Amino acid sequence: MCTANNEIKFCTCAEGNIDEIKNIYIWTLNRYMGSKESRIRGIIMRPIEDFENGISTDRILSKLNMGNIFDFEYTPQERDTLHISFNAKHRIEYQYFSLIFKDKIWQKGCNPFFTSKEEKIAEGEVQIIYNKENLFLKHCEDLQAKYGIEIPESVKIKASGLPIDSSDPVYLAIKNFKECKIFYTEDFIELAAGKYFDTHPNTESSEELQLMIDQAQNSFSLPEKRFVSHETDFSFLNDCFHDLGGNIDKGVVIAIPIQDREYLIVNGFLYGRTVVRSQKDKKYFKNKNQKLKYEGFESSKKS
């Protein structure tokens, strides 16, 4: 946890549509206006209790029940609710919790989701203010500026509160970052193989393309969005990547090696997940007697 090194601030100073600002913590204060009929039924996403960065139900409840925490005058009324969420850039990282003023005290909970009428009082950003410069967060900023690598917010939150000499493997992998691991997507391999074999219809093997794919695996530049090498011509693969609209998520999976066979994914729908390189046979794209092999991975039990 990093609660000893930060403070939290509720403010209404965000400019523009706050819901369009990604990777921030949003608070929404609502007033209960009564009940309504609704035929809608469903399952609501389970809330959490702690974002592990100082924003937790217990800490916010403590502040709410001691007095006004907002940057405007506010007196709570029965069944007012406070909703706090992480407006993640990647849906997989979305998290939230809700608090309700009930029986003259703030507590965990909310009004019935489908049958309550609520009116927004105000909304804003929950800002995390570090009391001193956090070297790990500064390192993450440098990685993004230099390599185009965006460390998942959930990882930054947990790792930024660890001691500087922590032996946590994810923390060390990011702190001592040297290179990324590239996994090709099935879409990219299928496209590259189809394009290559169409261009070389009399080719009975895929050795030349296989060699190119193997050599390019760790030569992808995130900032340039292409395969880069001073020794090898990767124009064919870059043309294939261009055919995918230059969409990194469709072409490759970018991962930071953690330890042994473990990797932290930093793009695509698995963003923020820990995976392990598959011990099974490598994946293959087959076309008659021609085939291409490429590495796959499996979700880690830790993620």
Side-chain angles (χ1 to χ4, degrees):
M1 306 290 180
C2 48
T3 54
N5 189 36
N6 68 46
E7 298 175 355
I8 53 178
K9 177 183 177 183
F10 285 69
C11 68
T12 55
C13 54
E15 297 182 0
N17 185 346
I18 195 168
D19 293 322
E20 295 180 356
I21 305 174
K22 299 302 181 181
N23 287 349
I24 66 170
Y25 296 88
I26 294 177
W27 60 266
T28 305
L29 187 61
N30 295 315
R31 176 139 296 158
Y32 180 71
M33 305 300 291
S35 62
K36 64 179 181 180
E37 292 185 3
S38 176
R39 295 181 180 179
I40 300 175
R41 296 291 183 271
I43 299 175
I44 302 172
M45 181 179 176
R46 184 186 298 273
I48 65 167
E49 293 200 0
D50 194 342
F51 285 107
E52 299 186 355
N53 60 350
I55 303 177
S56 67
T57 55
D58 289 342
R59 190 177 185 194
I60 303 304
L61 283 173
S62 175
K63 288 180 172 289
L64 284 168
N65 286 319
M66 287 177 61
N68 184 26
I69 63 174
F70 305 101
D71 60 356
F72 58 92
E73 292 187 8
Y74 166 69
T75 301
Q77 294 184 15
E78 185 74 3
R79 297 184 71 169
D80 279 1
T81 56
L82 177 64
H83 181 87
I84 298 177
S85 62
F86 177 56
N87 197 29
K89 180 178 180 180
H90 299 271
R91 179 67 184 175
I92 195 171
E93 286 202 292
Y94 177 82
Q95 293 177 316
Y96 80 97
F97 63 76
S98 296
L99 307 174
I100 185 169
F101 188 74
K102 200 170 183 179
D103 300 326
K104 299 182 179 180
I105 191 172
W106 283 99
Q107 53 190 281
K108 300 173 187 177
C110 62
N111 291 307
F113 187 79
F114 296 113
T115 58
S116 297
K117 291 189 293 184
E118 292 186 327
E119 184 177 278
K120 185 186 298 181
I121 299 173
E123 66 180 0
E125 180 182 359
V126 185
Q127 296 182 342
I128 305 170
I129 304 170
Y130 288 90
N131 297 327
K132 60 182 179 180
E133 182 179 34
N134 189 292
L135 296 180
F136 181 83
L137 294 179
K138 178 64 168 61
H139 178 64
C140 291
E141 292 175 1
D142 293 341
L143 287 181
Q144 185 164 9
K146 187 174 182 179
Y147 300 105
I149 297 171
E150 184 180 341
I151 302 300
E153 186 72 17
S154 57
V155 174
K156 289 194 290 186
I157 288 169
K158 294 177 183 179
S160 63
L162 296 173
I164 195 169
D165 59 350
S166 173
S167 59
D168 180 85
V170 175
Y171 170 85
L172 289 175
I174 297 172
K175 179 182 176 183
N176 302 322
F177 174 83
K178 294 180 180 179
E179 62 181 4
C180 284
K181 169 76 173 181
I182 304 298
F183 292 99
Y184 295 107
T185 65
E186 293 185 10
D187 286 345
F188 182 80
I189 292 295
E190 184 173 353
L191 175 64
K195 189 168 184 175
Y196 184 82
F197 296 139
D198 285 345
T199 308
H200 305 78
N202 297 321
T203 301
E204 295 185 1
S205 72
S206 54
E207 291 181 6
E208 183 178 343
L209 179 57
Q210 184 71 69
L211 179 62
M212 186 187 304
I213 285 175
D214 292 343
Q215 290 177 333
Q217 186 161 13
N218 289 315
S219 299
F220 190 83
S221 168
L222 271 169
E224 299 180 55
K225 295 184 178 181
R226 67 189 186 94
F227 297 94
V228 178
S229 173
H230 297 296
E231 294 80 28
T232 308
D233 180 10
F234 291 139
S235 57
F236 173 77
L237 294 182
N238 284 325
D239 287 343
C240 294
F241 185 70
H242 183 267
D243 290 345
L244 289 175
N247 188 324
I248 293 176
D249 296 343
K250 287 186 177 180
V252 293
V253 177
I254 313 292
I256 295 178
I258 299 176
Q259 58 183 357
D260 299 329
R261 296 165 36 246
E262 283 192 307
Y263 299 89
L264 173 68
I265 304 298
V266 293
N267 78 306
F269 76 99
L270 288 175
Y271 180 73
R273 292 286 185 90
T274 300
V275 301
V276 294
R277 189 171 58 204
S278 177
Q279 289 182 316
K280 300 177 182 178
D281 292 340
K282 292 184 177 180
K283 293 185 177 181
Y284 287 91
F285 171 81
K286 296 182 179 180
N287 179 23
K288 298 180 180 179
N289 295 327
Q290 306 150 336
K291 63 182 180 181
L292 290 173
K293 61 182 180 180
Y294 59 104
E295 289 183 300
F297 55 82
E298 304 165 356
S299 294
S300 169
K301 294 180 180 179
K302 299 178 183 179
S303 58

